[in-house]
């Protein structure tokens, strides 16, 4: 998608602090962090929302969570605890329409969230 900021990060047109990547995914630090560690796990392939996912994307979602685990370990927050969050559409807080998994940690998390 030519107007998608995350697609532009994937293509290298927009810089980001990349902390993990593989053939399917890219992980970078959020520009507006809500915790001491706040990273975004995105697929390289554009999918606008979770509602646009298909059955064949199930493996991709699993890979996103495994990347979140790897980042939590790399960042030293795995043992203390961390949160992963997908937002779907505006009512849930999605502002960039390219699916992304938030990885947040480094501070206590309250429940229920926002």
């Amino acid at each position: 998608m030519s107007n998608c900021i995350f697609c532009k990060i994937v293509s290298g047109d927009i810089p980001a602090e990349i902390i993990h990547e593989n053939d399917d995914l890219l992980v970078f630090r959020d520009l507006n962090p809500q915790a001491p560690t706040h990273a975004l796990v995105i697929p390289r392939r554009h999918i606008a929302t979770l509602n646009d996912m298909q059955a064949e994307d199930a493996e991709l979602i699993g890979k996103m969570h495994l990347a979140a685990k790897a980042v939590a370990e790399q960042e030293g927050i795995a043992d203390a605890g961390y949160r992963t969050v997908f937002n779907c559409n505006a009512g849930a807080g999605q502002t960039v329409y390219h699916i992304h998994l938030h990885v947040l940690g480094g501070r206590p998390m309250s429940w229920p969230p926002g």
Side-chain angles (χ1 to χ4, degrees):
M1 302 293 289
S2 62
N3 61 346
C4 174
I5 191 167
F6 287 175
C7 287
K8 290 178 181 180
I9 290 172
V10 168
S11 70
D13 293 336
I14 294 178
E17 187 179 345
I18 298 168
I19 57 175
H20 182 84
E21 65 180 305
N22 61 38
D23 291 343
D24 300 308
L25 307 171
L26 194 65
V27 184
F28 54 92
R29 297 198 189 280
D30 194 301
L31 286 178
N32 185 27
Q34 302 300 304
T37 295
H38 188 171
L40 302 176
V41 181
I42 68 167
R44 291 182 181 274
R45 180 170 51 92
H46 183 87
I47 302 169
T49 75
L50 285 174
N51 291 338
D52 298 307
M53 303 282 304
Q54 303 299 314
E56 57 268 18
D57 296 318
E59 183 178 355
L60 179 63
I61 293 298
K63 288 179 179 182
M64 291 176 76
H65 281 92
L66 289 173
K69 173 185 176 262
V71 167
E73 290 169 349
Q74 174 184 315
E75 296 290 313
I77 60 172
D79 290 339
Y82 59 100
R83 179 172 289 163
T84 60
V85 178
F86 275 109
N87 297 321
C88 185
N89 285 325
Q94 185 176 8
T95 58
V96 177
Y97 287 83
H98 182 126
I99 63 167
H100 52 286
L101 179 63
H102 296 261
V103 182
L104 301 119
R107 68 168 173 82
M109 301 284 160
S110 60
W111 194 262

